[in-house]
């Protein structure tokens, strides 16, 4: 590239071999900033014979710097190929192409291919074509300009829809003949040439004016009349100012390629021409528009992808909601699209619009992930706020349904408002799916809280029911009698009604339908009934223990609940029967559930009583008829469903048999204790032995009466024996039998005697010595008093020990 001034520069567009200079034209366009011109630019080209002064004319007319022929060297080819330059000082931007001259000896007579190719290229690209011709050729049949005109018109037919080009005939070296006379002759020659050129059928009758605007201008000789030439050129130059405006030289041009696509358009036109194909300018225009619009769209997409404002928005939206996201991003996208519109505004409208739509779609795809992330943040944030507000409303005592409805409505409106701020103007994205998801989340949370609240309410009522029923039912079953089941039913009904009342109060505010409410009430009733049934089954599993406990209490205690002492006056048989009958009542009560008033299970009591309490002692009979009619030889009770049976008849019989076996020892112990008591109460010898002792011992008795010392000695021995009797608790020792009593006395006799002697020795040492020793009678009297008090204390201790022993025995019997 070479330059003459800051405003003018030139480049060889196509060299002499027909090679297109791609890099050169791209640099040229950037240098002259052609891409900023849009459609406001014009292209002028010049054709003419070799060495006809074309470059000289262009340099003087447009202030370009094309290489000119040196007249002193000789006439030869100066311009090779096609050169391109920008006109200096002409608005709008005007590009000038200097074409290689025709009819040159360098290419030869037969090498006219490049002439036709360059002519077609000039017609396809240029708005104004200058045809440089000599004045003396006008009117001549074999003038040098006629082959050129034929070439122009012929190649014009290869354009499917040619541009309307202005043909400006520049008559060089004008003679004295006025232009008014020359112009008609020239136009006539042009028309003849047009008529003689073969045309396609579609343009057979098309006039020349549909393809060309013909203008004629004459210039004086540059060599002979240079000053006049320059003045005429300056005048002609003025016609190129605003040449594309209406009324200008190229005011009615068609199919203009936008300036930013000029380079690509020129390359593709030359490529088609070189391949010797017909040049379809409309299709070419669409192709150029497609390529250029794609390039512009790619540039704008890359611009937005690297835009700092967009990148900051994208980064911010990853961590949470961004206020004004939609407005900010819409402005960025709008700027991008506006710049695209500005650069692509002059290209084919359909192509431009299609590529704009594609660009917009790609831009929206680029930002869609950020938009979705933002919606996700808005949804989750709104959901969290809803949960917080909902919990607060419930804690403040607002009704559940009211709180749920108000909070849901409020925060759905909040979501809608925040979504409106996130909407991108250029996008028609539907946020209903995210909104529906939020609604589902809110409804699911409400349902979960509702279920939790109802479950909590039910759990509290069930816990209260369990506490109110389990203990009382256990107590009622423990004291089993004829009123046990009526009392349990009454208790169950009362507590169930109380729980249902609490449930009804708790359900206020839930707007629950009657069906669901009835279902919860039924569930509560079933739970209460289940508590009673479970407790009853649990107690039924311990029925044997309950029976033995009751038997032990009734058998071992009197009507005042005092431990029973078997003195020999009690009717053990009657007591045993009463205790067993009461224990059997526990078995009959726990044999089956009786939670229904019409259960018909009252026959169980009669069956058990008649079968178990009236069985003869000799139960080893082998009468098969009796076994066949045994009402307990069954696995179910009559009129009692299997679901309500706790203890089957067979099990009752087995339990009763085990009960009798385990309580018989207690009864036998009571009988033994009673017999022992009777023996202990009859320890004196028989009357006949007493009379024999009196008769046979009369002499010894009289001897004692005659000697007082013997009486005192006997009295002391009596006191000592009495003390030993009390200390050893002889009567209690023999209550368990003769042999056990003797064994027990033999082991405790000597320690007791030694203990008694030790106490007497200690009392003797502690008593101070008196001046006059007391008399024997006073000493004996004092010892008698002490021994008497000790005997009383020992007697009381023996009684308590006896009582405790009886209680201990009763307790041991109970445990056994």
């Amino acid at each position: 590239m070479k330059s003459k001034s800051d405003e003018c520069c030139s480049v060889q567009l196509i060299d002499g071999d027909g090679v297109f200079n791609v890099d050169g034209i791209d640099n040229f366009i950037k240098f002259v900033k052609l891409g900023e011109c849009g459609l406001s630019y014009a292209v002028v080209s010049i054709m003419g014979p070799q060495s006809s002064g074309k470059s000289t004319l262009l340099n003087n007319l447009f202030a370009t710097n094309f290489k000119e022929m040196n007249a002193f060297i000789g006439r030869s080819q100066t311009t090779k190929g096609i050169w391109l330059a920008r006109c200096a000082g002409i608005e709008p931007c005007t590009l000038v192409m200097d074409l290689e001259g025709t009819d040159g000896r360098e290419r030869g007579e037969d090498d006219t291919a490049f002439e036709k190719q360059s002519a077609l290229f000039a017609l396809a690209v240029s708005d104004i074509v200058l045809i440089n011709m000599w004045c003396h050729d006008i009117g001549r049949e074999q003038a040098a300009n006629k082959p050129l005109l034929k070439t122009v018109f012929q190649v014009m037919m290869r354009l499917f829809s040619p541009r309307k080009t202005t043909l400006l005939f520049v008559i060089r070296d004008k003679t004295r003949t006025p232009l008014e006379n020359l112009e008609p002759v020239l136009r006539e020659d042009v028309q003849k040439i047009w008529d003689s050129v073969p045309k396609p059928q579609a343009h057979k009758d098309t006039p020349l004016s549909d393809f060309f605007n013909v203008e004629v201008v004459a210039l004086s000789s540059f060599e002979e009349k240079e000053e006049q030439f320059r003045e005429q050129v300056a005048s002609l130059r003025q016609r190129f100012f605003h040449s594309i405006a209406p009324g200008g030289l190229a005011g009615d041009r068609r199919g203009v390629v936008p300036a930013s696509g000029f380079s690509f358009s020129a390359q593709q036109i030359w490529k088609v021409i070189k391949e010797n194909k017909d040049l379809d300018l409309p299709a070419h225009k669409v192709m150029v528009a497609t390529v250029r619009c794609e390039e512009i769209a790619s540039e704008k997409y890359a611009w937005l992808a690297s835009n700092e404002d967009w990148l900051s928005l994208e980064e911010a939206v990853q961590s949470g909601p961004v206020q004004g996201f939609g407005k900010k991003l819409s402005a960025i996208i709008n700027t991008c699209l506006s710049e695209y519109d500005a650069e692509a505004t002059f290209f084919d409208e359909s192509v431009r619009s299609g590529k704009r739509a594609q660009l917009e779609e790609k831009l929206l795809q680029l930002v869609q992930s950020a938009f979705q992330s933002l919606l996700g943040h808005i949804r989750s944030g709104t959901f969290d706020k809803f949960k917080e507000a909902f919990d607060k409303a419930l804690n403040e005592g607002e009704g559940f349904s009211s709180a749920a409805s108000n909070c849901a409505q409020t925060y759905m409106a909040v979501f809608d408002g925040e979504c409106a701020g996130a909407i991108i103007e250029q996008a028609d994205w539907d946020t209903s799916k995210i909104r529906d998801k939020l609604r589902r989340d809110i409804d699911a949370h409400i349902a979960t809280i509702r279920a939790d609240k109802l479950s909590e309410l039910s759990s509290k009522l069930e816990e209260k029911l369990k506490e109110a029923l389990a203990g009382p039912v256990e107590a009622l079953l423990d004291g089993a009698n004829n009123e046990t089941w009526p009392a349990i039913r009454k208790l169950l009904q009362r507590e169930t009604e109380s729980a249902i009342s609490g449930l009804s109060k708790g359900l206020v505010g839930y707007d629950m339908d009657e069906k669901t409410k009835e279902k919860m009430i039924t569930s509560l009733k079933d739970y209460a009934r289940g508590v009673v049934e479970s407790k009853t089954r649990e107690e039924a599993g311990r029925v044997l223990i309950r029976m033995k406990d009751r038997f032990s209490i009734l058998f071992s205690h009197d009507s005042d609940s005092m431990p029973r002492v078997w003195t020999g006056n009690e009717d053990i048989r009657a007591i045993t029967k009463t205790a067993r009958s009461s224990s059997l009542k526990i078995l009959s009560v726990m044999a089956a559930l009786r939670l229904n008033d019409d259960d018909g299970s009252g026959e169980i009591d009669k069956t058990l009583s008649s079968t178990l309490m009236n069985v003869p002692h000799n139960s080893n009979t082998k009468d098969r008829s009796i076994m066949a009619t045994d009402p307990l030889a069954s696995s179910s009770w009559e009129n009692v469903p299997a679901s309500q049976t706790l203890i089957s008849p067979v099990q009752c019989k087995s339990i009763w048999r085990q009960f009798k076996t385990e309580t018989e020892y207690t009864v036998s112990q009571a009988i033994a204790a009673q017999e022992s008591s009777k023996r202990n109460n009859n320890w004196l010898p028989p009357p006949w032995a007493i009379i024999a002792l009196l008769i046979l011992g009369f002499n010894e008795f009289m001897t004692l009466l005659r000697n007082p010392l013997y009486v005192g000695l006997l009295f002391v021995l009596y006191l000592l024996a009495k003390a030993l009797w009390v200390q050893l608790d002889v009567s209690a020792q023999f209550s368990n039998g003769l042999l056990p009593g003797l064994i027990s006395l033999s082991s405790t006799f000597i320690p007791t005697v030694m203990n008694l002697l030790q106490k007497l020795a200690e009392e003797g040492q502690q008593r101070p010595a008196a001046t006059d020793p007391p008399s024997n009678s006073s000493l004996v009297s004092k010892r008698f008093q002490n021994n008497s008090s000790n005997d009383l204390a020992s007697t009381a201790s023996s009684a308590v020990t006896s009582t405790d022993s009886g209680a201990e025995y009763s307790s041991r019997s109970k445990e056994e």
Side-chain angles (χ1 to χ4, degrees), residues 3 52 68 111 172 187 197 211 228 237 276 284 331 340 345 384 415 448 462 489 520 549 618 637 727 749 806:
S3 62
S52 62
E68 298 179 6
D111 189 8
R172 303 294 297 276
R187 288 182 180 275
V197 172
F211 287 87
Q228 189 176 358
R237 176 183 173 89
N276 199 25
H284 172 77
Y340 170 85
T345 186
D384 292 339
F415 175 81
T448 301
E462 288 174 357
R489 288 195 293 268
M520 293 187 68
D549 288 346
N618 185 15
W637 299 102
Q727 290 293 327
F749 179 75

Side-chain angles (χ1 to χ4, degrees), residues 558-739:
D558 57 18
S559 59
D560 295 328
S561 299
M562 295 299 293
R564 198 185 297 275
V565 179
W566 303 107
T567 61
N569 298 324
E570 296 83 1
D571 187 355
I572 292 180
R573 182 181 295 277
I575 293 173
T576 301
K577 185 174 182 180
T578 301
R580 286 181 173 175
S581 177
S582 182
S583 299
L584 183 63
K585 191 65 180 176
I586 295 178
L587 183 61
S588 65
V589 167
M590 294 189 183
L593 291 169
R594 299 171 176 85
L595 295 179
N596 299 324
D597 294 335
D598 54 347
D599 52 24
S601 58
E603 298 296 328
I604 296 177
D605 298 347
K606 297 178 182 179
T607 302
L608 290 176
S609 298
S610 61
T611 305
L612 300 179
M613 292 301 296
N614 298 327
V615 175
H617 293 292
N618 185 15
S619 58
N620 294 327
T621 179
K622 297 183 179 179
D623 189 350
R624 295 185 178 273
S625 64
I626 295 177
M627 295 299 293
T629 58
D630 185 0
L632 298 182
S634 174
S635 60
S636 61
W637 299 102
E638 186 177 358
N639 298 326
V640 178
S643 60
Q644 295 184 10
T645 300
L646 302 178
I647 306 173
S648 66
V650 174
Q651 292 173 332
C652 286
K653 189 173 183 179
S654 175
I655 291 172
W656 181 254
R657 186 183 300 111
Q658 186 177 356
F659 166 74
K660 287 182 66 179
T661 302
E662 294 183 6
T663 56
E664 280 178 357
Y665 177 75
T666 303
V667 176
S668 63
Q669 287 292 318
I671 295 173
Q674 191 179 54
E675 291 177 352
S676 176
S677 178
K678 289 180 180 181
R679 288 194 301 269
N680 292 336
N681 291 336
N682 296 328
W683 56 275
L684 293 176
W688 61 268
I690 295 174
I691 296 173
L693 286 174
L694 291 176
I695 295 173
L696 295 176
F698 179 76
N699 293 332
E700 288 77 3
F701 180 71
M702 292 305 294
T703 302
L704 292 174
L705 290 178
R706 292 187 186 99
N707 191 351
L709 290 176
Y710 289 155
V711 175
L713 182 60
L714 289 174
F715 183 70
V716 171
L717 291 174
Y718 169 75
L719 292 177
L720 182 61
K722 183 66 175 175
L724 288 173
W725 182 277
V726 173
Q727 290 293 327
L728 293 174
D729 194 9
V730 176
S731 61
Q733 296 294 339
F734 282 102
S735 64
N736 295 327
L738 179 61
L739 183 60

Side-chain angles (χ1 to χ4, degrees), residues 101-122:
T102 61
D103 197 19
R105 64 181 178 83
E106 286 79 4
R107 289 196 177 270
E109 186 175 333
D110 299 325
D111 189 8
T112 60
F114 186 80
E115 293 181 6
K116 293 182 179 180
Q117 291 173 351
S118 60
L120 180 58
F121 179 77

Side-chain angles (χ1 to χ4, degrees), residues 450 500 503-504 507-508 510-523:
R450 178 191 183 97
I500 291 174
L503 178 64
S504 299
L507 294 179
V508 173
Y510 282 90
D511 292 342
M512 187 175 292
D513 58 278
E514 290 299 325
K515 185 177 180 180
T516 306
K517 185 176 181 181
E518 190 63 31
K519 184 178 180 181
M520 293 187 68
I521 292 175
T522 302
S523 176

Side-chain angles (χ1 to χ4, degrees), residues 119-350:
L120 180 58
F121 179 77
L123 287 175
V125 171
S126 304
D127 301 305
I128 303 171
V129 177
L130 302 180
I131 299 179
N132 199 41
M133 60 184 303
W134 301 110
C135 180
H136 55 75
D137 284 338
I138 297 175
R140 294 170 56 187
E141 187 63 26
Q142 300 297 326
N145 65 321
K146 292 215 175 165
L148 175 62
L149 288 178
K150 287 183 179 180
T151 299
V152 169
F153 293 156
Q154 285 174 356
V155 298
M156 198 63 160
M157 295 297 102
R158 294 178 59 186
L159 302 180
F160 281 27
S161 178
R163 303 155 53 97
K164 189 166 185 180
T165 307
T166 299
L167 295 181
L168 179 58
F169 288 87
V170 180
I171 302 174
R172 303 294 297 276
D173 296 348
K174 177 179 173 297
T175 61
R176 294 181 181 181
T177 305
L179 179 62
E180 292 79 7
N181 297 332
L182 295 175
E183 183 174 351
V185 176
L186 179 59
R187 288 182 180 275
E188 183 180 353
D189 291 341
V190 170
Q191 186 64 45
K192 288 180 179 180
I193 296 172
W194 172 257
D195 294 338
S196 65
V197 172
K199 304 179 187 67
Q201 188 65 31
H203 296 293
K204 197 162 188 177
D205 298 325
T206 303
L208 176 66
S209 59
D210 287 356
F211 287 87
F212 299 103
N213 290 321
V214 178
E215 299 288 338
V216 180
V217 64
L219 298 177
S220 299
S221 173
F222 174 71
E223 295 179 353
E224 297 177 1
K225 301 178 181 179
E226 183 176 353
E227 292 297 329
Q228 189 176 358
F229 173 82
R230 294 187 183 278
E231 291 177 2
Q232 292 172 347
V233 167
S235 176
L236 178 61
R237 176 183 173 89
Q238 296 302 316
R239 298 184 65 181
F240 286 92
F241 282 89
H242 307 294
S243 59
I244 60 175
L249 284 175
D252 56 350
R253 64 178 181 170
R254 298 191 299 264
V256 183
V257 175
S260 60
F262 177 79
S263 173
F264 180 77
S265 175
Q267 294 176 45
Q268 296 302 314
I269 288 175
W270 183 249
K271 180 180 179 182
V272 172
I273 292 173
K274 285 290 290 182
E275 292 174 356
N276 199 25
K277 296 179 180 179
D278 290 339
L279 185 60
D280 187 353
L281 286 184
H284 172 77
K285 180 181 177 183
V286 171
M287 182 267 293
V288 172
T290 301
V291 173
R292 277 299 298 148
C293 288
E294 285 179 352
E295 291 176 352
I296 296 171
S298 298
E299 292 173 2
K300 300 312 167 187
Y301 179 84
W303 174 85
L304 187 138
S306 59
N307 183 270
E308 293 184 359
D309 294 337
W310 152 243
L311 293 177
S312 62
L313 279 178
E314 185 181 29
E315 182 179 359
V317 83
Q318 300 303 321
S319 57
V322 178
Q323 293 295 329
F325 175 87
K327 185 176 181 180
K328 294 176 182 178
L329 190 53
S330 296
I332 295 173
I333 295 176
N334 188 56
T335 300
C336 182
L337 294 176
S338 298
E339 291 181 0
Y340 170 85
D341 292 338
E343 294 187 27
T345 186
F346 303 112
F347 290 103
D348 183 80
E349 182 178 358
S350 61

Side-chain angles (χ1 to χ4, degrees), residues 261-487:
F262 177 79
S263 173
F264 180 77
S265 175
Q267 294 176 45
Q268 296 302 314
I269 288 175
W270 183 249
K271 180 180 179 182
V272 172
I273 292 173
K274 285 290 290 182
E275 292 174 356
N276 199 25
K277 296 179 180 179
D278 290 339
L279 185 60
D280 187 353
L281 286 184
H284 172 77
K285 180 181 177 183
V286 171
M287 182 267 293
V288 172
T290 301
V291 173
R292 277 299 298 148
C293 288
E294 285 179 352
E295 291 176 352
I296 296 171
S298 298
E299 292 173 2
K300 300 312 167 187
Y301 179 84
W303 174 85
L304 187 138
S306 59
N307 183 270
E308 293 184 359
D309 294 337
W310 152 243
L311 293 177
S312 62
L313 279 178
E314 185 181 29
E315 182 179 359
V317 83
Q318 300 303 321
S319 57
V322 178
Q323 293 295 329
F325 175 87
K327 185 176 181 180
K328 294 176 182 178
L329 190 53
S330 296
I332 295 173
I333 295 176
N334 188 56
T335 300
C336 182
L337 294 176
S338 298
E339 291 181 0
Y340 170 85
D341 292 338
E343 294 187 27
T345 186
F346 303 112
F347 290 103
D348 183 80
E349 182 178 358
S350 61
V351 175
R352 181 179 72 244
S353 300
K355 296 303 176 181
R356 188 186 194 278
Q358 292 179 9
L359 173 62
E360 186 173 349
E361 183 179 358
K362 289 180 65 178
L363 295 178
L364 294 179
Q365 288 177 355
L366 177 64
V367 304
Q368 188 172 21
S369 60
F371 178 75
Q372 294 297 331
S373 297
L374 177 63
L375 289 185
H377 290 309
I378 294 175
R379 184 194 63 79
S380 59
T382 305
F383 184 54
D384 292 339
K385 292 177 184 177
F386 163 79
K387 291 193 291 186
E388 182 179 351
F390 186 46
D391 292 341
K392 183 178 179 181
L394 293 178
N395 293 335
E396 292 176 352
E398 187 176 352
F400 184 89
S401 297
S402 175
S405 177
N406 293 338
C407 290
Q409 184 175 359
T410 299
Y411 285 94
M412 288 305 295
V414 169
F415 175 81
D416 292 337
E418 294 189 8
C419 277
I423 293 299
I424 301 173
E425 295 178 4
Q426 294 81 4
D428 188 19
W429 290 330
D430 186 11
T431 60
S432 61
K433 291 184 178 180
I434 302 294
R435 190 181 193 279
D436 293 342
K437 188 177 188 308
L438 174 62
R439 185 70 213 193
R440 289 195 300 271
D441 291 343
I442 289 177
D443 292 342
H445 182 72
I446 292 174
T448 301
I449 298 298
R450 178 191 183 97
D452 291 343
K453 293 289 184 183
L454 294 178
S455 177
E456 181 181 356
L457 176 62
S458 298
S459 297
K460 288 182 179 178
L461 293 174
E462 288 174 357
E463 188 66 27
K464 186 177 179 181
L465 269 176
K466 186 175 182 179
E467 183 179 353
L469 290 175
V473 168
E474 182 178 357
L476 288 172
L477 292 175
D478 187 42
N481 54 47
N482 292 331
E483 296 300 321
T484 296
W485 281 109

